[in-house]
């Protein structure tokens, strides 16, 4: 953990023993500030989302791909004070930031790391609307953005939020008597909503549809050209994508790393079938989002490839892949 707004003592005090609504500091998520008169035009040609749809009252979920359609990152994009702010897991934000800066020299656009300016939190849990109101926000609906005193609240789902807050206000917030929870609490909810992010070992491994981004309104199939569009569009209109992201759970104390194999039973043998994308463990209940063949069914026997090889159960996605 390296952050200017959360102390080691505060981080160590965070608990997974929470009931009801909670707020989790997310020091592994950061922001990138994108400025300049060409910032929208530039990102329009770089990402899967349609910048023409971004306004002051919403945010965009999108992906940044290489020329072969494999993802450098997926992110959330907001407009703030004539800047664009991309919010993502640190590994993928660094990967995309490096690529954007490399090719941005040909446009009137500039980039600045946002960790000295903004902190990222996650909100969720039962009756989270009360906590949202306590923090001074009007409750946004899914896909909407609420603003309050320079802070931005993104409604990723009905009861699942991401909060971007100026560092000084974040430091003050950490002094308040609020239901703070460990990041894993929010990350487990993130997985349960069918969301994911890219850790270092998986950057450049997946096309957006493998992480269900078409079902999460993170791909525009009507905008103009962008890097990787040919592959992404071909998978939609001609088929060919044979993999998707699934939610899995197991009773175990393990927390597998991103990229850990998942195996399927075929007769008396086990064969590699997919891999872990993200994992969170709350009180020996493991939650995974994993890429698997898109014809997998709950009747299939799955296990984690590890010493204890816990059995994995498929949990229905909260959205349709069709």
């Amino acid at each position: 953990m390296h952050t200017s707004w959360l102390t080691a003592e505060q981080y160590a005090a965070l608990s997974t023993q929470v009931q009801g609504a909670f707020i989790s500091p997310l020091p592994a998520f950061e922001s990138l500030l994108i400025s300049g008169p060409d910032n929208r035009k530039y990102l329009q040609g770089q990402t899967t989302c349609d910048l023409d749809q971004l306004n002051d009252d919403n945010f965009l979920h999108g992906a940044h791909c290489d020329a072969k359609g494999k993802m450098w990152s997926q992110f959330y994009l907001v407009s703030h004070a004539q800047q664009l702010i991309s919010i993502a897991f640190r590994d993928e934000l660094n990967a995309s930031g490096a690529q954007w800066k490399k090719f941005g020299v040909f446009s009137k656009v500039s980039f600045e790391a946002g960790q000295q300016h903004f902190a990222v939190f996650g909100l969720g849990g039962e009756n989270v609307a009360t906590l949202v109101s306590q923090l001074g926000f009007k409750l946004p609906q899914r896909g909407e953005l609420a603003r309050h005193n320079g802070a931005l609240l993104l409604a990723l789902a009905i009861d699942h939020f991401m909060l971007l807050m100026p560092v000084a206000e974040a430091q003050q917030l950490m002094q308040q008597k609020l239901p703070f929870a460990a990041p894993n609490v929010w990350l487990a909810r993130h997985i349960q909503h069918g969301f994911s992010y890219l850790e270092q070992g998986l950057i450049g491994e997946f096309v957006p549809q493998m992480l269900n981004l078409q079902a999460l309104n993170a791909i525009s199939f009507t905008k103009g050209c962008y890097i990787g569009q040919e592959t992404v569009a071909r998978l939609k209109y001609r088929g060919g994508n044979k993999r998707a992201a699934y939610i899995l759970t197991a009773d175990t104390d393990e927390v597998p790393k991103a990229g850990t194999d998942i195996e399927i039973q075929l007769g008396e043998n086990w064969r590699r079938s997919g891999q872990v994308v993200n994992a969170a463990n709350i009180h020996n209940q493991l939650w995974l989002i994993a890429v698997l063949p898109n014809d997998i069914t709950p009747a299939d026997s799955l296990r984690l490839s590890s010493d204890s090889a816990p059995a994995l159960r498929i949990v229905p996605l909260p959205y349709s892949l069709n």
Side-chain angles (χ1 to χ4, degrees):
M1 183 189 75
H2 57 87
T3 172
S4 63
W5 59 271
L6 182 67
T7 68
E9 291 77 13
Q10 289 170 336
Y11 188 81
L14 297 172
S15 173
T16 57
Q17 302 283 352
V18 292
Q19 301 291 331
F22 64 86
I23 178 169
S24 295
L26 302 178
F29 284 78
E30 295 181 353
S31 59
L32 182 69
L33 314 184
I34 307 157
S35 305
D38 290 345
N39 59 358
R40 285 184 179 241
K41 179 181 178 181
Y42 180 70
L43 285 191
Q44 185 76 323
Q46 293 280 324
T47 66
T48 62
C49 52
D50 186 357
L51 273 290
D52 290 340
Q53 303 302 313
L54 182 63
N55 58 51
D56 289 342
D57 299 318
N58 71 355
F59 64 92
L60 298 180
H61 185 185
H64 174 216
C65 303
D66 64 18
K68 296 181 180 180
K70 299 294 184 68
M71 288 191 295
W72 293 104
S73 70
Q74 59 171 307
F75 55 83
Y76 300 98
L77 191 69
V78 299
S79 175
H80 182 66
Q82 298 184 329
Q83 292 179 317
L84 298 174
I85 305 177
S86 177
I87 310 163
F89 187 72
R90 181 187 299 127
D91 295 348
E92 55 186 342
L93 192 65
N94 289 341
S96 275
Q99 295 298 312
W100 286 337
K101 291 173 186 177
K102 182 189 302 183
F103 297 103
V105 296
F106 303 108
S107 300
K108 296 178 182 178
V109 62
S110 61
F111 302 88
E112 181 186 359
Q115 60 260 40
Q116 300 300 319
H117 301 280
F118 291 100
V120 183
F121 294 85
L123 282 73
E126 188 176 353
N127 297 322
V128 69
T130 301
L131 179 57
V132 168
S133 178
Q134 184 181 350
L135 294 174
F137 292 95
K138 291 184 178 179
L139 184 69
Q141 299 303 303
R142 180 171 185 166
E144 293 181 349
L145 175 73
R147 300 172 185 265
H148 177 67
N149 290 344
L152 300 90
L153 184 69
L154 292 67
L156 309 187
I158 293 175
D159 57 352
H160 188 60
F161 300 86
M162 183 174 276
L163 172 64
L164 187 70
M165 178 173 281
V167 164
E169 284 76 5
Q171 291 170 332
Q172 293 174 6
L173 188 72
M174 291 302 303
Q175 304 298 324
Q176 297 183 26
K177 295 292 185 180
L178 292 170
F180 288 111
N184 266 4
V185 176
W186 186 85
L187 294 176
R189 297 296 183 98
H190 203 58
I191 291 168
Q192 290 161 21
H193 281 91
F195 294 117
S196 60
Y197 55 87
L198 294 177
E199 300 182 49
Q200 184 62 47
L202 297 181
I203 290 171
E205 293 293 316
F206 303 125
V207 295
Q209 286 95 328
M210 290 182 183
L211 292 181
N212 307 346
L213 294 197
Q214 80 286 359
L216 294 169
N217 299 316
I219 306 173
S220 171
F221 293 100
T222 59
K223 62 175 282 186
C225 296
Y226 59 88
I227 296 174
Q229 181 196 24
E230 182 178 350
T231 298
V232 175
R234 185 170 63 246
L235 291 179
K236 173 179 173 60
Y237 295 112
R238 296 185 183 178
N241 180 45
K242 303 300 183 183
R243 305 183 79 75
Y246 290 87
I247 304 168
L248 305 172
T249 189
D251 301 316
T252 177
D253 61 357
E254 291 194 47
V255 186
K257 294 181 179 179
T260 299
D261 286 346
I262 291 173
E263 299 175 334
I264 186 170
Q265 187 171 22
L266 298 175
E268 296 182 356
N269 300 313
W270 291 86
R271 189 183 72 186
R272 181 183 183 276
S273 180
Q275 59 190 142
V276 173
V277 179
N278 305 129
N281 197 314
I282 306 295
H283 308 308
N284 295 329
Q285 184 75 45
L286 174 64
W287 291 95
L288 301 176
I289 192 157
V291 170
L292 295 164
N294 56 16
D295 60 356
I296 207 84
T297 73
D300 290 315
S301 295
L302 300 171
R303 72 181 187 184
L304 192 65
S305 180
S306 68
D307 290 340
S308 61
L312 298 167
R313 304 182 297 276
I314 294 178
V315 176
L317 290 163
Y319 48 75
S320 172
L321 293 179
N322 298 324

